[in-house]
Amino acid sequence: MIEDWRRYPHIVLFTGAGLSAESGVPTYRGRGGIWHEYNYEDYACQRAFDHHPVKVLDFHELRRTKVLACLPHTGHDHIRAMQAAHPGVTVITQNIDGLLQRAGVTVSAELHGSLWRLRCPVHGIREDAAAAPFAYRQCPDCAPARQTWLRPDITWFEDAMNPAVFARAEALVAAADLFVGIGTSGAVWPAAGFAHQAREAGARMVEINPEDNEASVLYPENLRKPASTALADTFPISR
Ligand code: APR
């Protein structure tokens, strides 16, 4: 337990798929992980989208359907309460599922984008969060003859991260006094680099993950517990 966690002016909660696991959203590399069932080269890269837009959109629609059937859990709620108790708590997420936002958490950087936005190369970003099926698969603002497929606003494999989002996260991590890695395997770069950056900047490093993983060496404190209980146990909020 970090009884006096509020004495840290700048706290970064860096989250991954493990934070959503207890809500029923599959992780990527754990048991039943998405990439065990689907090859990202067929479903989550620009090349696949260029060749098979319908197949890629179907895959993401399926993910939207699964996520909408899930609810945020007590861990998400505790993060919201931490933000209410301390304005210095910021959240950087690799998750595209929007569960943090559904729990009322303010997310400062969505490193890998969102399942609930699409992009048109001409008209830019479209919010599309009303229902699991996409409202449009082709841009309604483009001339029908163009048949512009709308691409999920997600940082897929081989994509560069949105530079503005990256810069925002980098600035938050540079200022972090306490960096908490929650439910991430640290397998994917450049996102995994933020834990290295925080450590080099001298932040107190705490990991919440039931399992040891390649990023664990960066964290002198490893809480081998699920996020839903570890957050409340570690960061008590006295009424
Ligand atoms: N609480 C906390 N951590 C958990 C829980 C839980 N209840 N359940 C599983 N975990 C941990 C696993 O032990 C694992 O280390 O969550 C981690 C999930 O790892 P990944 O599936 O690799 O997910 P993540 O680290 O978020 O992946 C990074 O890879 O596929 C890309 O873009 C995708 O954002 C994703 C990125």
Side-chain angles (χ1 to χ4, degrees):
M1 183 183 292
I2 307 179
E3 192 74 45
D4 58 353
W5 58 273
R6 278 181 270 197
R7 73 181 172 82
Y8 293 95
H10 301 106
I11 299 173
V12 168
L13 305 182
F14 179 71
T15 75
L19 177 60
S20 300
E22 293 160 86
S23 292
V25 180
T27 65
Y28 295 96
R29 295 168 188 81
R31 211 168 313 108
I34 293 169
W35 301 140
H36 297 317
E37 197 180 338
Y38 296 90
N39 180 345
Y40 82 82
E41 294 189 43
D42 299 332
Y43 296 98
C45 64
Q46 185 64 43
R47 226 180 19 259
F49 184 68
D50 294 341
H51 293 107
H52 306 291
V54 172
K55 181 179 172 184
V56 170
L57 289 168
D58 285 349
F59 168 72
H60 288 85
E61 210 166 77
L62 183 63
R63 297 200 58 194
R64 289 161 57 105
T65 304
K66 287 197 174 161
V67 168
L68 271 187
C70 300
L71 293 172
H73 58 70
T74 53
H76 295 105
D77 298 336
H78 195 78
I79 292 175
R80 182 189 62 247
M82 288 176 71
Q83 289 190 319
H86 182 358
V89 175
T90 57
V91 174
I92 297 172
T93 192
Q94 298 169 86
N95 299 347
I96 61 175
D97 56 35
L99 280 178
L100 282 159
Q101 293 90 334
R102 277 168 62 191
V105 172
T106 302
V107 173
S108 298
E110 273 184 319
L111 301 177
H112 296 153
S114 172
L115 271 171
W116 310 105
R117 290 190 303 267
L118 293 142
R119 298 180 204 158
C120 164
V122 181
H123 297 96
I125 299 288
R126 297 184 68 85
E127 298 287 337
D128 182 343
F134 292 112
Y136 298 95
R137 287 181 167 221
Q138 293 181 331
C139 180
D141 302 324
C142 282
R146 278 181 63 97
Q147 292 201 318
T148 311
W149 290 101
L150 288 168
R151 193 210 119 136
D153 182 32
I154 293 170
T155 309
W156 283 330
F157 289 87
E158 300 150 23
D159 281 352
M161 199 181 281
N162 175 314
V165 174
F166 186 88
R168 195 158 60 241
E170 206 174 26
L172 288 170
V173 172
D177 309 293
L178 171 59
F179 183 95
V180 187
I182 306 167
T184 183
S185 62
V188 169
W189 288 75
F194 289 118
H196 291 262
Q197 182 199 345
R199 186 182 163 100
E200 278 142 35
R204 179 174 176 176
M205 302 288 292
V206 175
E207 181 186 40
I208 293 177
N209 192 324
E211 290 170 23
D212 188 52
N213 59 80
E214 57 192 277
S216 296
V217 288
L218 300 169
Y219 301 87
E221 299 169 71
N222 310 96
L223 307 168
R224 296 278 170 251
K225 292 186 198 174
S228 67
T229 48
L231 282 157
D233 294 352
T234 311
F235 306 105
I237 294 175
S238 47
R239 304 274 166 244

